Every structure is written in structure tokens, then in C-alpha cells.
Coordinates of all heavy atoms in Angstrom, one line a residue:
M1 N -2.0 19.5 -1.2 CA -3.0 18.7 -1.9 C -4.3 18.8 -1.1 O -4.3 18.7 0.1 CB -2.5 17.3 -1.9 CG -3.5 16.3 -2.6 SD -2.9 14.6 -2.6 CE -3.9 14.0 -1.3
E2 N -5.4 19.0 -1.8 CA -6.7 19.0 -1.2 C -7.5 17.8 -1.8 O -7.4 17.4 -3.0 CB -7.4 20.3 -1.6 CG -6.8 21.5 -0.9 CD -7.6 22.7 -1.2 OE1 -8.9 22.6 -1.3 OE2 -7.0 23.8 -1.2
I3 N -8.3 17.2 -0.9 CA -9.1 16.1 -1.3 C -10.6 16.5 -1.0 O -10.8 17.4 -0.1 CB -8.8 14.7 -0.7 CG1 -8.8 14.9 0.8 CG2 -7.4 14.3 -1.1 CD1 -8.6 13.5 1.6
P4 N -11.6 15.8 -1.6 CA -12.9 16.2 -1.2 C -13.3 16.0 0.2 O -12.8 15.1 0.9 CB -13.8 15.2 -2.1 CG -12.9 14.8 -3.2 CD -11.5 14.8 -2.6
E5 N -14.0 17.0 0.8 CA -14.4 16.9 2.2 C -15.2 15.6 2.4 O -16.0 15.2 1.6 CB -15.3 18.1 2.5 CG -15.6 18.2 4.0 CD -16.4 19.5 4.3 OE1 -16.2 20.5 3.6 OE2 -17.1 19.5 5.2
G6 N -14.9 15.0 3.5 CA -15.5 13.8 3.9 C -14.9 12.5 3.3 O -15.3 11.4 3.8
L7 N -13.9 12.6 2.4 CA -13.4 11.4 1.8 C -12.6 10.6 2.9 O -12.7 9.4 2.9 CB -12.4 11.8 0.7 CG -11.8 10.6 0.0 CD1 -12.8 9.6 -0.6 CD2 -10.9 11.0 -1.2
V8 N -11.8 11.3 3.7 CA -11.1 10.5 4.7 C -12.0 9.8 5.6 O -11.8 8.6 6.0 CB -10.2 11.5 5.5 CG1 -9.5 10.8 6.7 CG2 -9.1 12.1 4.7
H9 N -13.1 10.4 6.0 CA -14.1 9.7 6.8 C -14.7 8.5 6.1 O -14.8 7.4 6.7 CB -15.2 10.6 7.2 CG -16.3 10.0 8.0 ND1 -16.1 9.6 9.4 CD2 -17.6 9.6 7.7 CE1 -17.2 9.0 9.8 NE2 -18.1 9.0 8.8
L10 N -15.0 8.6 4.8 CA -15.5 7.5 4.0 C -14.5 6.3 4.0 O -14.9 5.1 3.9 CB -15.8 7.9 2.6 CG -17.0 8.8 2.4 CD1 -17.1 9.2 1.0 CD2 -18.3 8.0 2.8
L11 N -13.2 6.6 4.0 CA -12.2 5.6 3.9 C -11.8 5.0 5.2 O -11.0 4.0 5.2 CB -11.0 6.2 3.2 CG -11.2 6.6 1.7 CD1 -10.0 7.3 1.2 CD2 -11.6 5.4 0.8
S12 N -12.3 5.5 6.3 CA -11.9 5.0 7.6 C -12.5 3.6 7.8 O -13.7 3.4 7.4 CB -12.2 6.0 8.7 OG -13.6 6.2 8.8
E13 N -11.8 2.8 8.5 CA -12.4 1.4 8.8 C -13.1 1.4 10.1 O -14.0 0.6 10.3 CB -11.2 0.4 8.9 CG -10.5 0.2 7.6 CD -9.3 -0.7 7.7 OE1 -9.0 -1.1 8.8 OE2 -8.8 -1.1 6.6
E14 N -12.8 2.3 11.0 CA -13.4 2.4 12.3 C -13.9 3.8 12.6 O -13.2 4.8 12.2 CB -12.5 1.9 13.4 CG -12.0 0.5 13.2 CD -10.9 0.0 14.2 OE1 -10.6 0.8 15.1 OE2 -10.3 -1.0 13.9
E15 N -14.9 4.0 13.4 CA -15.4 5.3 13.7 C -14.4 6.2 14.4 O -14.4 7.4 14.1 CB -16.7 5.2 14.5 CG -17.5 6.4 14.7 CD -18.1 7.0 13.4 OE1 -18.5 6.2 12.6 OE2 -18.2 8.2 13.3
D16 N -13.6 5.6 15.2 CA -12.7 6.4 16.0 C -11.3 6.5 15.4 O -10.3 7.0 16.0 CB -12.6 6.0 17.4 CG -12.0 4.5 17.5 OD1 -12.0 3.8 16.5 OD2 -11.6 4.1 18.7
E17 N -11.1 6.0 14.2 CA -9.8 6.1 13.5 C -9.4 7.5 13.1 O -10.3 8.2 12.6 CB -9.9 5.2 12.2 CG -8.5 4.9 11.6 CD -8.6 3.9 10.5 OE1 -9.7 3.8 9.9 OE2 -7.6 3.2 10.3
S18 N -8.2 7.9 13.5 CA -7.8 9.3 13.2 C -7.6 9.5 11.7 O -7.3 8.6 11.0 CB -6.5 9.6 14.0 OG -5.4 9.0 13.4
K19 N -7.6 10.8 11.3 CA -7.3 11.1 10.0 C -5.9 10.7 9.6 O -5.7 10.2 8.5 CB -7.5 12.6 9.8 CG -9.0 13.1 9.8 CD -9.1 14.6 9.7 CE -10.5 15.0 9.8 NZ -10.7 16.5 9.6
A20 N -5.0 10.9 10.5 CA -3.6 10.5 10.2 C -3.5 9.0 10.0 O -2.8 8.5 9.1 CB -2.7 10.9 11.4
E21 N -4.2 8.2 10.7 CA -4.2 6.7 10.5 C -4.8 6.4 9.1 O -4.2 5.5 8.4 CB -5.0 6.0 11.6 CG -4.4 6.0 12.9 CD -5.2 5.5 14.0 OE1 -6.4 5.9 14.1 OE2 -4.7 4.6 14.8
V22 N -5.9 7.0 8.7 CA -6.5 6.7 7.4 C -5.5 7.1 6.3 O -5.3 6.4 5.4 CB -7.8 7.5 7.3 CG1 -8.4 7.3 5.9 CG2 -8.8 7.0 8.3
V23 N -5.0 8.3 6.4 CA -4.0 8.8 5.4 C -2.8 7.8 5.4 O -2.3 7.5 4.3 CB -3.6 10.2 5.6 CG1 -2.5 10.7 4.7 CG2 -4.9 11.1 5.4
G24 N -2.3 7.4 6.5 CA -1.2 6.5 6.6 C -1.5 5.2 5.9 O -0.7 4.6 5.2
D25 N -2.7 4.6 6.1 CA -3.2 3.4 5.4 C -3.2 3.6 3.9 O -2.7 2.7 3.2 CB -4.5 3.0 5.9 CG -4.5 2.4 7.3 OD1 -3.4 2.2 7.9 OD2 -5.6 2.2 7.9
I26 N -3.7 4.7 3.5 CA -3.8 4.9 2.0 C -2.4 5.0 1.5 O -2.1 4.5 0.4 CB -4.6 6.2 1.7 CG1 -6.1 6.0 2.2 CG2 -4.6 6.5 0.2 CD1 -6.8 4.8 1.7
A27 N -1.5 5.7 2.1 CA -0.1 5.9 1.7 C 0.5 4.5 1.6 O 1.3 4.2 0.7 CB 0.6 6.8 2.6
T28 N 0.3 3.7 2.7 CA 0.9 2.3 2.7 C 0.4 1.5 1.5 O 1.2 0.9 0.8 CB 0.6 1.6 4.0 OG1 1.1 2.4 5.1 CG2 1.1 0.2 4.0
M29 N -0.9 1.6 1.2 CA -1.4 0.9 0.0 C -0.8 1.4 -1.3 O -0.4 0.6 -2.1 CB -2.9 1.0 0.0 CG -3.6 0.3 1.0 SD -5.4 0.6 0.9 CE -5.9 0.5 2.5
A30 N -0.7 2.7 -1.4 CA -0.2 3.3 -2.6 C 1.3 3.0 -2.8 O 1.7 2.6 -3.9 CB -0.4 4.8 -2.6
F31 N 2.1 3.1 -1.8 CA 3.5 2.8 -1.9 C 3.8 1.4 -2.2 O 4.7 1.0 -3.0 CB 4.3 3.3 -0.6 CG 4.5 4.8 -0.6 CD1 4.0 5.5 0.5 CD2 5.2 5.4 -1.6 CE1 4.2 6.9 0.6 CE2 5.4 6.8 -1.5 CZ 4.9 7.5 -0.4
A32 N 3.0 0.5 -1.6 CA 3.2 -1.0 -1.8 C 2.8 -1.3 -3.3 O 3.6 -2.0 -4.0 CB 2.3 -1.8 -0.9
S33 N 1.8 -0.7 -3.8 CA 1.4 -0.9 -5.2 C 2.4 -0.4 -6.1 O 2.8 -1.0 -7.1 CB 0.0 -0.2 -5.4 OG -0.3 -0.2 -6.8
R34 N 2.9 0.8 -5.9 CA 4.0 1.4 -6.8 C 5.3 0.6 -6.7 O 5.9 0.4 -7.7 CB 4.2 2.9 -6.4 CG 3.0 3.8 -6.6 CD 2.6 3.9 -8.1 NE 3.7 4.6 -8.8 CZ 3.9 4.6 -10.1 NH1 3.0 3.9 -10.8 NH2 4.9 5.2 -10.7
A35 N 5.7 0.2 -5.5 CA 6.9 -0.6 -5.4 C 6.7 -1.9 -6.2 O 7.7 -2.4 -6.9 CB 7.2 -0.9 -3.9
H36 N 5.6 -2.5 -6.1 CA 5.3 -3.8 -6.8 C 5.3 -3.6 -8.3 O 5.9 -4.3 -9.0 CB 3.9 -4.4 -6.4 CG 3.6 -5.6 -7.2 ND1 4.1 -6.8 -6.9 CD2 2.8 -5.7 -8.2 CE1 3.6 -7.7 -7.7 NE2 2.8 -7.0 -8.6
M37 N 4.7 -2.5 -8.7 CA 4.7 -2.2 -10.2 C 6.1 -2.0 -10.7 O 6.5 -2.5 -11.8 CB 3.8 -1.0 -10.5 CG 2.3 -1.3 -10.3 SD 1.3 0.2 -10.6 CE 1.8 0.7 -12.3
I38 N 6.9 -1.2 -10.0 CA 8.3 -0.9 -10.4 C 9.1 -2.2 -10.5 O 9.9 -2.5 -11.4 CB 8.9 0.1 -9.5 CG1 8.3 1.5 -9.7 CG2 10.5 0.2 -9.7 CD1 8.6 2.5 -8.7
A39 N 8.9 -3.1 -9.5 CA 9.7 -4.3 -9.4 C 9.3 -5.4 -10.4 O 10.1 -6.1 -10.9 CB 9.6 -4.9 -8.0
H40 N 8.0 -5.4 -10.7 CA 7.5 -6.6 -11.5 C 6.9 -6.2 -12.8 O 6.6 -7.1 -13.6 CB 6.5 -7.4 -10.7 CG 7.1 -8.0 -9.5 ND1 7.9 -9.1 -9.5 CD2 7.1 -7.6 -8.2 CE1 8.3 -9.4 -8.3 NE2 7.8 -8.5 -7.4
H41 N 6.6 -5.0 -13.1 CA 5.9 -4.7 -14.3 C 6.6 -3.6 -15.1 O 6.0 -3.0 -16.0 CB 4.4 -4.2 -14.0 CG 3.6 -5.2 -13.3 ND1 3.1 -6.3 -14.0 CD2 3.3 -5.4 -12.0 CE1 2.4 -7.1 -13.1 NE2 2.6 -6.6 -11.9
G42 N 7.9 -3.5 -14.9 CA 8.8 -2.7 -15.7 C 9.5 -3.5 -16.7 O 9.2 -4.7 -16.9
E43 N 10.4 -2.9 -17.4 CA 11.2 -3.6 -18.4 C 12.3 -4.3 -17.7 O 13.0 -3.7 -16.9 CB 11.7 -2.7 -19.4 CG 10.5 -2.0 -20.2 CD 10.8 -1.7 -21.6 OE1 11.8 -2.2 -22.1 OE2 10.0 -1.0 -22.2
G44 N 12.5 -5.6 -18.0 CA 13.6 -6.4 -17.5 C 13.5 -6.7 -16.1 O 12.4 -6.5 -15.4
E45 N 14.5 -7.4 -15.5 CA 14.5 -7.8 -14.1 C 14.9 -6.6 -13.2 O 15.7 -5.8 -13.6 CB 15.5 -8.9 -13.9 CG 15.1 -10.2 -14.6 CD 13.9 -10.8 -14.0 OE1 13.7 -10.9 -12.8 OE2 13.0 -11.2 -14.8
P46 N 14.2 -6.6 -12.1 CA 14.6 -5.5 -11.1 C 16.0 -5.7 -10.5 O 16.5 -6.8 -10.4 CB 13.5 -5.6 -10.0 CG 13.1 -7.0 -10.1 CD 13.2 -7.5 -11.5
S47 N 16.6 -4.6 -10.2 CA 17.9 -4.6 -9.6 C 17.7 -5.2 -8.1 O 16.6 -5.1 -7.6 CB 18.5 -3.2 -9.5 OG 17.8 -2.4 -8.6
P48 N 18.8 -5.7 -7.6 CA 18.7 -6.1 -6.2 C 18.2 -5.0 -5.2 O 17.5 -5.3 -4.3 CB 20.1 -6.6 -5.8 CG 20.7 -6.9 -7.1 CD 20.1 -6.0 -8.1
E49 N 18.6 -3.8 -5.5 CA 18.2 -2.7 -4.7 C 16.7 -2.5 -4.8 O 16.0 -2.3 -3.7 CB 18.9 -1.4 -5.1 CG 18.5 -0.2 -4.3 CD 19.1 1.1 -4.7 OE1 19.6 1.2 -5.9 OE2 19.1 2.0 -3.9
V50 N 16.1 -2.5 -6.0 CA 14.7 -2.4 -6.2 C 13.9 -3.5 -5.5 O 12.9 -3.3 -4.8 CB 14.3 -2.3 -7.7 CG1 12.8 -2.4 -7.9 CG2 14.8 -1.0 -8.2
S51 N 14.5 -4.7 -5.6 CA 13.8 -5.9 -5.0 C 13.8 -5.8 -3.5 O 12.8 -6.1 -2.8 CB 14.6 -7.2 -5.4 OG 14.4 -7.5 -6.7
D52 N 14.9 -5.3 -2.9 CA 15.0 -5.1 -1.4 C 14.0 -4.0 -1.0 O 13.4 -4.2 0.1 CB 16.4 -4.7 -1.0 CG 17.4 -5.8 -1.1 OD1 17.0 -6.9 -1.3 OD2 18.6 -5.5 -1.1
I53 N 13.9 -2.9 -1.8 CA 12.9 -1.9 -1.4 C 11.5 -2.4 -1.5 O 10.7 -2.2 -0.6 CB 13.1 -0.7 -2.4 CG1 14.4 0.0 -2.1 CG2 11.9 0.3 -2.2 CD1 14.8 1.1 -3.1
E54 N 11.2 -3.2 -2.5 CA 9.8 -3.8 -2.6 C 9.6 -4.7 -1.5 O 8.5 -4.7 -0.8 CB 9.7 -4.5 -3.9 CG 8.2 -5.1 -4.0 CD 8.1 -6.3 -4.9 OE1 9.1 -7.0 -5.1 OE2 7.0 -6.6 -5.2
D55 N 10.5 -5.6 -1.1 CA 10.4 -6.5 0.0 C 10.1 -5.8 1.3 O 9.2 -6.2 2.1 CB 11.6 -7.4 0.2 CG 11.8 -8.4 -0.9 OD1 10.8 -8.7 -1.7 OD2 12.9 -9.0 -1.0
A56 N 10.8 -4.7 1.5 CA 10.6 -3.9 2.8 C 9.2 -3.3 2.8 O 8.6 -3.3 3.8 CB 11.7 -2.8 2.9
M57 N 8.8 -2.8 1.7 CA 7.5 -2.1 1.6 C 6.4 -3.2 1.8 O 5.4 -3.0 2.5 CB 7.3 -1.4 0.3 CG 6.1 -0.5 0.2 SD 6.1 0.8 1.5 CE 4.6 0.5 2.3
L58 N 6.5 -4.3 1.1 CA 5.5 -5.4 1.3 C 5.5 -5.9 2.7 O 4.4 -6.3 3.2 CB 5.8 -6.5 0.3 CG 5.6 -6.1 -1.2 CD1 5.8 -7.3 -2.1 CD2 4.3 -5.4 -1.5
D59 N 6.6 -6.0 3.4 CA 6.6 -6.3 4.8 C 5.9 -5.3 5.6 O 5.1 -5.7 6.5 CB 8.1 -6.5 5.3 CG 8.8 -7.7 4.8 OD1 8.1 -8.6 4.3 OD2 10.0 -7.7 5.0
A60 N 6.1 -4.0 5.3 CA 5.3 -3.0 6.1 C 3.8 -3.1 5.8 O 3.0 -2.9 6.7 CB 5.8 -1.6 5.6
F61 N 3.5 -3.4 4.6 CA 2.1 -3.6 4.2 C 1.5 -4.8 5.1 O 0.4 -4.6 5.7 CB 1.9 -4.0 2.8 CG 0.5 -4.1 2.3 CD1 -0.2 -3.0 1.7 CD2 -0.2 -5.3 2.4 CE1 -1.5 -3.2 1.3 CE2 -1.5 -5.5 2.0 CZ -2.2 -4.4 1.4
E62 N 2.2 -5.9 5.1 CA 1.7 -7.1 5.9 C 1.6 -6.8 7.4 O 0.7 -7.2 8.0 CB 2.6 -8.3 5.6 CG 2.0 -9.5 6.1 CD 2.6 -10.8 5.5 OE1 3.4 -10.7 4.6 OE2 2.3 -11.9 6.1
D63 N 2.6 -6.0 7.9 CA 2.6 -5.7 9.3 C 1.3 -4.8 9.6 O 0.7 -5.0 10.7 CB 3.8 -4.9 9.7 CG 5.1 -5.7 9.7 OD1 5.0 -7.0 9.7 OD2 6.2 -5.2 9.8
R64 N 1.0 -3.9 8.7 CA -0.1 -3.0 9.0 C -1.5 -3.7 8.8 O -2.4 -3.5 9.6 CB 0.0 -1.8 8.1 CG -1.3 -0.9 8.1 CD -1.6 -0.4 9.5 NE -2.9 0.2 9.5 CZ -4.1 -0.4 9.9 NH1 -4.1 -1.6 10.3 NH2 -5.2 0.3 9.9
F65 N -1.6 -4.5 7.8 CA -2.9 -5.0 7.4 C -3.1 -6.5 7.8 O -4.2 -7.0 7.6 CB -3.2 -4.8 5.9 CG -3.3 -3.4 5.6 CD1 -2.3 -2.8 4.8 CD2 -4.3 -2.6 6.0 CE1 -2.3 -1.4 4.5 CE2 -4.4 -1.2 5.7 CZ -3.3 -0.6 4.9
G66 N -2.1 -7.2 8.3 CA -2.2 -8.6 8.7 C -2.5 -9.6 7.6 O -2.9 -10.7 7.8
M67 N -2.1 -9.2 6.4 CA -2.2 -10.1 5.2 C -1.2 -9.6 4.2 O -0.8 -8.4 4.2 CB -3.6 -10.1 4.6 CG -4.0 -8.8 4.0 SD -5.7 -8.9 3.3 CE -6.7 -8.9 4.8
S68 N -0.8 -10.5 3.3 CA 0.2 -10.1 2.3 C -0.5 -9.2 1.3 O -1.7 -9.2 1.1 CB 0.8 -11.3 1.6 OG -0.2 -11.9 0.8
Y69 N 0.4 -8.5 0.5 CA -0.1 -7.6 -0.6 C -0.9 -8.5 -1.6 O -1.9 -8.2 -2.1 CB 1.0 -6.9 -1.2 CG 0.6 -6.1 -2.4 CD1 0.1 -4.8 -2.2 CD2 0.8 -6.5 -3.7 CE1 -0.3 -4.0 -3.3 CE2 0.5 -5.7 -4.8 CZ -0.1 -4.5 -4.6 OH -0.5 -3.7 -5.6
G70 N -0.3 -9.7 -1.9 CA -1.0 -10.6 -2.8 C -2.3 -11.1 -2.3 O -3.3 -11.2 -3.1
E71 N -2.4 -11.4 -1.0 CA -3.7 -11.8 -0.5 C -4.7 -10.6 -0.5 O -5.9 -10.9 -0.8 CB -3.6 -12.2 1.0 CG -2.8 -13.5 1.2 CD -2.4 -13.8 2.6 OE1 -2.1 -12.8 3.4 OE2 -2.5 -15.0 3.0
A72 N -4.3 -9.4 -0.3 CA -5.2 -8.3 -0.2 C -5.7 -7.9 -1.6 O -6.8 -7.5 -1.8 CB -4.5 -7.1 0.4
T73 N -4.8 -8.1 -2.6 CA -5.2 -7.6 -4.0 C -5.6 -8.7 -4.9 O -6.1 -8.5 -6.0 CB -4.0 -6.9 -4.6 OG1 -2.9 -7.8 -4.7 CG2 -3.6 -5.7 -3.8
G74 N -5.3 -10.0 -4.5 CA -5.5 -11.1 -5.4 C -4.5 -11.1 -6.5 O -4.7 -11.9 -7.5
H75 N -3.5 -10.4 -6.4 CA -2.4 -10.3 -7.5 C -1.1 -10.9 -6.9 O -0.4 -10.3 -6.2 CB -2.2 -8.8 -7.8 CG -1.3 -8.6 -8.9 ND1 -1.6 -8.6 -10.2 CD2 0.1 -8.4 -8.9 CE1 -0.6 -8.4 -11.0 NE2 0.5 -8.2 -10.2
Q76 N -0.9 -12.1 -7.4 CA 0.3 -12.8 -6.9 C 1.1 -13.3 -8.0 O 0.6 -13.8 -9.0 CB -0.1 -14.0 -6.0 CG -0.9 -13.5 -4.7 CD -1.1 -14.6 -3.8 OE1 -0.4 -15.6 -3.7 NE2 -2.2 -14.4 -3.0
H77 N 2.4 -13.2 -7.9 CA 3.3 -13.8 -8.9 C 4.7 -13.8 -8.3 O 5.0 -13.4 -7.3 CB 3.3 -13.2 -10.3 CG 3.5 -11.7 -10.3 ND1 4.7 -11.1 -10.4 CD2 2.5 -10.8 -10.3 CE1 4.5 -9.8 -10.5 NE2 3.2 -9.6 -10.4

């Protein structure tokens, strides 16, 4: 996969943040979003396995960013 040159730098929060850290943050955000969508915006109730996966991903999100997914996105339910 190729992304536009300079995009990783634009997305970094700190000047000395490594490319790997930036990409890891973006992946964490994307995976948390997808897990949330699958668990709460699909048809019917999620299975216990899906709920457990979402919970684990949202915990990883909170560990990394110091706030819940709901606080970060303003999307809570």
C-alpha cells in the first residue's frame, strides 16, 4: 500500500514521533472504529465473541489515547 508522501508526518502528534508510532495510532483508530461498527451497527445483536473482541479493542484504544472511544469520537451508546 502506498500513501501520499508527507501524510505520515502530517498525522504525527509530536515532531519526534516515529512513522511506526503514527501508523500504529491510525491502525488503532481504524480497528476500534470497525470493531464498534460490527458490534453496534450491524443487523441484530452481536455475538458474545464479537462483543468480547470489541471490548478488547476499545480497551487497547483507551490504553493508547488515555480516553475512551466514545469520548474521542463523541459517539456513545
Side-chain angles (χ1 to χ4, degrees):
M1 178 181 104
E2 291 185 34
I3 60 173
E5 187 174 331
L7 181 58
V8 172
H9 178 72
L10 287 175
L11 296 172
S12 65
E13 295 177 352
E14 300 172 10
E15 190 66 33
D16 63 343
E17 192 171 28
S18 74
K19 290 179 182 179
E21 289 173 312
V22 175
V23 171
D25 286 352
I26 299 302
T28 300
M29 289 179 213
F31 282 121
S33 175
R34 295 295 295 161
H36 176 80
M37 287 178 58
I38 290 166
H40 297 283
H41 298 283
E43 299 212 11
E45 291 295 315
S47 70
E49 179 183 21
V50 168
S51 292
D52 290 346
I53 290 168
E54 183 209 19
D55 288 344
M57 191 63 234
L58 296 182
D59 286 346
F61 183 97
E62 190 165 348
D63 288 346
R64 169 58 191 100
F65 297 108
M67 67 181 75
S68 72
Y69 178 79
E71 290 169 324
T73 63
H75 183 86
Q76 298 187 26
H77 49 91

